[in-house]
Amino acid sequence: MTQKYFSLLLLMLFISLFSQKQDLRYVSKPYVELQHPEWSKNATIYEVNIRQYSKEGTFKAFEKDLPRIQKLGIDIIWLMPIHPIGVEKRKGSLGSYYSVKDFRGVNPEFGDMQDFKRLVDKIHSMGMYIIIDWVGNHSAWDNPLSKEHPDWYTKTREGNFQPTPWYDWDDVIDFDYENPKLREYMTESLKFWVTEANIDGYRADTAGFIPVDFWDEARKQLDAIKPVFMLGEWESRDLLKNAFDMEYSWSLFEKMKDATTRNKGIGNLVEYLAHDVNTFPRDAYRMTFVENHDMNSWNGTPQKNFGAGLETSMVFAAVINGMPLVYNGQEAGLDRSLNFFEKDPIVWKESPYFGMYQKLFKLKHENRALWNGKLGGEMIRVVNSKQDKIISFYRESSGDAVLPIFNFSGEDVPVNLDTKYYKGKYVELFSGKVYNLNDQTPLKMKPWEYLVLVKSK
C-alpha cells in the first residue's frame, strides 16, 4: 500500500512538472541584460564644472568642498571633461572642454594626474563614486591623432577633416568608427582611466553618435576590470541593453516646461509618465533634471525655464522613476547662465533648495519605493477629480511607499483623491503633517503646491 502510494505520488508529480513545461519562445525576457553596480541602486548624481566651481578652478579647490556635497546627499560625482583642450580653432580664450587634445591627459588648468588621483581617492574614502565625461565622437583639430592617424577621421568630399556632419561644432573634427584601430584606441583609453585612476565609469557625450556595438564591447571590457557605471547622453532603448546603466530624460525636461512656462497644461507630462510605465525598460535608469551644463549654458536658467513651477518641477523630478541630477550651483539657487568658454565662477550662497534636496535624497536612500530601476516602485496613477491640473501617483516596493501629489497650475485647486487602495497613515516629507487616507481624500492645493506623502509602517 505504501509503495503504491509513493508510486502514485511520483506519477502525479511527473505529470504536474510535464504539464507546467513552457515553450521558452514565449517566455518573457528582460530587455536590460547588463548588471548595474550594486551601489547605484538608490544613487543620486551631481555634475561638476571644475573651471567654474571655484575661483581657483582646480581639483584641489573642488576637493575641499566634498563634505558639503556629501551632506547634500550625493552618491555619484560626474566631472565634465578633465582633458587638455585644443588650441586650434578654439572658441573663446579658454575653449570648450569637449574639444579634447589628449584623451589620456589632464587639463593643466585643473591640476595634474596626481591631483586627480588624490581627488578620486578622497571621493572613494567618503563613500561616494566618480565618473568622468568622455567625448568619443570627435577630437580637437590639434589632437596628435589627426596627424598620426588621419584615417581615423571622416572626411569631406575634398578629403578634408570636418566637424560632425550637419553640426556647427567648428572646434572639433569627426571620428570614423568604421575603423577598427580607432575603436581599439578608444576602448584602451576608456580602460586607462579605470585602471590608472580608479574612476567608476563615464558620462558619454553624444553617446548615440557612436555605434552601439562599440559601446557594448567597451562596457564588457570595462566591467572585466571593475563594475562600472555608464551614463549616456542620449534617449533611446538600444544603448540600455548591454552598454549604459542610465541615459538622459530630455523628454521629461520638455514636458515639465510644457506644464509650467509654456502653459500647455499637464497632458504632455501625463503622457510622459504613461510611456515611462508602459514602454521604458523596467531595469533601465533615467536621469531626471531641471538643469545641466547644456541647459544652463544654451537654454537659460531653471528660473526662466520653469518659472513659478520651478520647485514643483524639482521635487517632481526627484520622486518619479529615475535618478535625480543636481548641476553645481543649482542647490545654491544659481540664477544665471555660466560662460562656456571663459572663466566665470559660481557665486555660492545660502538657498532653501539645499535643504529641500537633502530631504528628498535622504528619502531616496531609505525608501525603496524610490530606488532605481526594477528595485523601485512602479508609478501607479492615483485617480483624482482634477486630472487636468493635479498629478498624483503611488509607488511601493519592499514594504515602503510614497504618494506624491502635484498641482501643476497657478490656481487654488480643491481636489478629491480616490485612495481606497492606498489607505493608511502618511507623513508629509517637508511639513511633517500627518495625513490619514481613507477611501476618498479631499485636499485644497495651493498654486504650484506639492506634497510628498510617505507611508508610515
Side-chain angles (χ1 to χ4, degrees):
M1 187 71 174
T2 305
Q3 186 175 358
K4 286 184 178 180
Y5 174 80
F6 280 109
S7 297
L8 181 61
L9 188 64
L10 287 172
L11 179 61
M12 290 175 64
L13 180 61
F14 175 79
I15 293 172
S16 175
L17 290 172
F18 182 81
S19 65
Q20 291 177 16
K21 185 178 180 181
Q22 299 183 62
D23 188 331
L24 296 180
R25 293 176 300 170
Y26 304 113
V27 175
S28 174
K29 302 176 184 66
Y31 182 80
V32 175
E33 297 179 358
L34 61 79
Q35 186 72 37
H36 301 298
E38 192 278 336
W39 48 262
S40 71
K41 66 180 182 291
N42 58 351
T44 59
I45 186 167
Y46 188 90
E47 182 185 6
V48 181
N49 182 332
I50 289 289
R51 178 189 289 168
Q52 313 300 22
Y53 193 89
S54 63
K55 291 181 180 179
E56 299 89 345
T58 62
F59 296 133
K60 288 182 178 179
F62 172 65
E63 184 178 330
K64 296 175 184 176
D65 209 36
L66 286 175
R68 187 192 68 84
I69 295 173
Q70 183 184 48
K71 188 178 178 182
L72 182 63
I74 295 300
D75 303 292
I76 302 173
I77 292 174
W78 149 30
L79 300 187
M80 290 171 66
I82 64 167
H83 310 298
I85 295 171
V87 176
E88 186 178 348
K89 300 195 178 184
R90 170 179 285 191
K91 293 186 177 182
S93 63
L94 297 178
S96 167
Y97 315 98
Y98 296 86
S99 177
V100 176
K101 191 174 182 178
D102 179 2
F103 288 98
R104 301 181 190 181
V106 171
N107 186 348
E109 178 186 342
F110 303 155
D112 58 23
M113 178 64 88
Q114 289 307 311
D115 294 331
F116 178 65
K117 287 182 178 181
R118 278 193 294 270
L119 175 60
V120 174
D121 290 344
K122 182 64 175 178
I123 288 170
H124 286 161
S125 73
M126 298 175 71
M128 296 184 288
Y129 300 86
I130 178 170
I131 65 175
I132 64 173
D133 226 315
W134 188 256
V135 192
N137 177 67
H138 45 260
S139 80
W141 286 79
D142 48 354
N143 188 308
L145 297 177
S146 65
K147 291 183 172 58
E148 297 167 4
H149 303 284
D151 57 316
W152 289 6
Y153 293 83
T154 65
K155 304 292 196 307
T156 65
R157 295 181 71 175
E158 294 78 20
N160 301 320
F161 292 121
Q162 62 177 347
T164 301
W166 290 80
Y167 284 89
D168 62 351
W169 303 341
D170 300 334
D171 57 340
V172 298
I173 46 178
D174 187 61
F175 278 127
D176 181 5
Y177 273 82
E178 294 300 309
N179 192 304
K181 289 297 183 181
L182 169 66
R183 290 184 174 222
E184 181 181 4
Y185 172 83
M186 281 299 182
T187 303
E188 291 303 315
S189 297
L190 287 164
K191 291 161 63 177
F192 170 84
W193 289 99
V194 176
T195 56
E196 182 69 19
N198 197 26
I199 67 166
D200 301 296
Y202 293 93
R203 176 267 186 185
D205 186 63
T206 61
F209 284 26
I210 297 171
V212 177
D213 61 341
F214 167 81
W215 289 122
D216 289 348
E217 177 60 31
R219 174 63 184 258
K220 187 189 306 180
Q221 295 193 35
L222 290 170
D223 272 343
I225 302 170
K226 65 184 285 189
V228 294
F229 185 84
M230 299 290 285
L231 162 62
E233 187 201 11
W234 208 244
E235 194 169 14
S236 67
R237 292 169 62 98
D238 55 352
L239 292 175
L240 296 167
K241 192 176 187 69
N242 291 300
F244 287 89
D245 300 273
M246 182 165 74
E247 64 183 12
Y248 277 54
S249 189
W250 290 113
S251 53
L252 173 65
F253 181 92
E254 293 299 324
K255 303 315 180 190
M256 289 192 299
K257 282 188 71 173
D258 286 348
T260 54
T261 51
R262 288 176 178 153
N263 300 312
K264 292 185 177 181
I266 64 172
N268 291 335
L269 191 51
V270 170
E271 182 75 6
Y272 170 88
L273 299 177
H275 275 276
D276 185 274
V277 170
N278 293 300
T279 68
F280 192 73
R282 181 72 175 97
D283 198 30
Y285 296 178
R286 307 184 94 153
M287 186 174 73
T288 58
F289 54 87
V290 297
E291 185 172 38
N292 58 51
H293 72 269
D294 282 308
M295 296 297 97
N296 176 268
S297 295
W298 317 119
N299 285 56
T301 65
Q303 291 82 356
K304 172 191 171 187
N305 287 322
F306 303 103
L310 174 56
E311 278 193 32
T312 316
S313 300
M314 291 167 80
V315 176
F316 188 79
V319 297
I320 64 169
N321 178 42
M323 183 187 296
L325 165 75
V326 175
Y327 178 55
N328 55 194
Q330 181 184 326
E331 75 276 29
L334 179 65
D335 58 0
R336 64 185 178 86
S337 295
L338 301 174
N339 195 308
F340 206 74
F341 307 115
E342 309 292 344
K343 183 67 178 172
D344 187 16
I346 296 166
V347 177
W348 293 98
K349 58 184 184 293
E350 295 293 322
S351 168
Y353 296 156
F354 189 94
M356 183 185 78
Y357 274 127
Q358 271 188 313
K359 289 183 178 181
L360 286 165
F361 295 166
K362 184 175 187 295
L363 180 67
K364 183 173 182 70
H365 290 147
E366 298 174 354
N367 193 300
R368 293 181 179 229
L370 297 183
W371 283 16
N372 300 318
K374 65 182 180 182
L375 297 179
E378 178 184 319
M379 295 181 293
I380 301 172
R381 189 173 199 175
V382 175
V383 176
N384 68 69
S385 60
K386 294 293 175 66
Q387 295 195 162
D388 59 333
K389 294 180 175 66
I390 304 292
I391 293 179
S392 49
F393 58 90
Y394 179 82
R395 300 185 69 187
E396 181 177 11
S397 179
S398 303
D400 293 331
V402 296
L403 200 161
I405 308 160
F406 298 88
N407 180 7
F408 271 98
S409 81
E411 305 171 12
D412 290 303
V413 180
V415 61
N416 194 50
L417 278 66
D418 182 355
T419 49
K420 60 179 173 288
Y421 297 114
Y422 316 110
K423 291 186 289 188
K425 178 183 175 182
Y426 293 75
V427 179
E428 206 284 316
L429 178 66
F430 299 102
S431 68
K433 182 178 177 181
V434 175
Y435 289 77
N436 291 298
L437 306 191
N438 296 305
D439 286 357
Q440 298 292 318
T441 301
L443 296 171
K444 292 183 179 179
M445 301 288 288
K446 297 175 182 177
W448 305 109
E449 185 179 6
Y450 51 85
L451 301 172
V452 178
L453 305 186
V454 182
K455 193 168 188 179
S456 300
K457 294 183 179 180

